[in-house]
Amino acid sequence: QVQLVESGGGLVQAGGSLRLSCAASGRTLSTYVMGWFRQAPGKERTVVATIRWSGGSTYYADSVKGRFTISRDNAKNTVYLQMGSLKPEDTAVYYCNARSIVYTEINYWGQGTQVTVSS
C-alpha cells in the first residue's frame, strides 16, 4: 500500500504564494504517477498537476500553467506543489494522489488540505 501525508495548506491573500507537500511511503512508489487534485465546494475534483518519480514528464491544468510548479524530492519521497500568483478561484481542498501506472484503477489519496485565497 501507499500512504500519503499532506501539509502546507492555509489562508493566503490574492497574489501570494503557498507550497504544499505530500510525503509518500510504500515499497513500490516508482510504479505510481503522483498528482495534485483540488475540489471546490459544489464542484468536481479536478487534476492540477502530475509528475513521475523518474524522467522529466509533468502535466499542468491550463488554469494553473505558469503559476504552479510540481516537483519531487526522491530522497525524501516527497512531492511538492509550489503555488504562486494565487487567485480566489484557486480556493479548494487540495488532495495528493498516487495512481498505479500499470493498474490505473488503483489509487491512493491523501486526507486533503484546505487552501483559501482571499481577495
Side-chain angles (χ1 to χ4, degrees):
Q1 288 191 323
V2 174
Q3 293 82 44
L4 306 172
V5 180
E6 302 169 337
S7 61
L11 175 65
V12 64
Q13 291 186 328
S17 300
L18 203 63
R19 188 177 77 159
L20 306 182
S21 298
C22 174
S25 62
R27 298 181 68 249
T28 57
L29 290 178
S30 63
T31 66
Y32 290 83
V33 176
M34 305 300 297
W36 287 97
F37 289 68
R38 66 186 181 185
Q39 186 169 23
K43 303 293 185 180
E44 294 294 314
R45 188 174 299 185
T46 59
V47 65
V48 175
T50 66
I51 193 170
R52 298 194 178 198
W53 292 104
S54 62
S57 178
T58 59
Y59 166 84
Y60 295 95
D62 288 343
S63 59
V64 305
K65 286 180 180 176
R67 300 189 299 121
F68 291 11
T69 301
I70 189 169
S71 62
R72 54 173 163 82
D73 186 333
N74 289 43
K76 296 180 178 179
N77 290 336
T78 300
V79 177
Y80 304 96
L81 184 68
Q82 181 67 49
M83 305 183 293
S85 300
L86 283 162
K87 306 174 181 179
E89 308 93 90
D90 297 317
T91 295
V93 177
Y94 284 70
Y95 297 90
C96 186
N97 170 261
R99 174 175 55 82
S100 174
I101 296 171
V102 176
Y103 307 103
T104 58
E105 70 275 12
I106 298 178
N107 282 271
Y108 297 91
W109 295 92
Q111 77 283 359
T113 184
Q114 177 70 47
V115 173
T116 303
V117 184
S118 62
S119 61

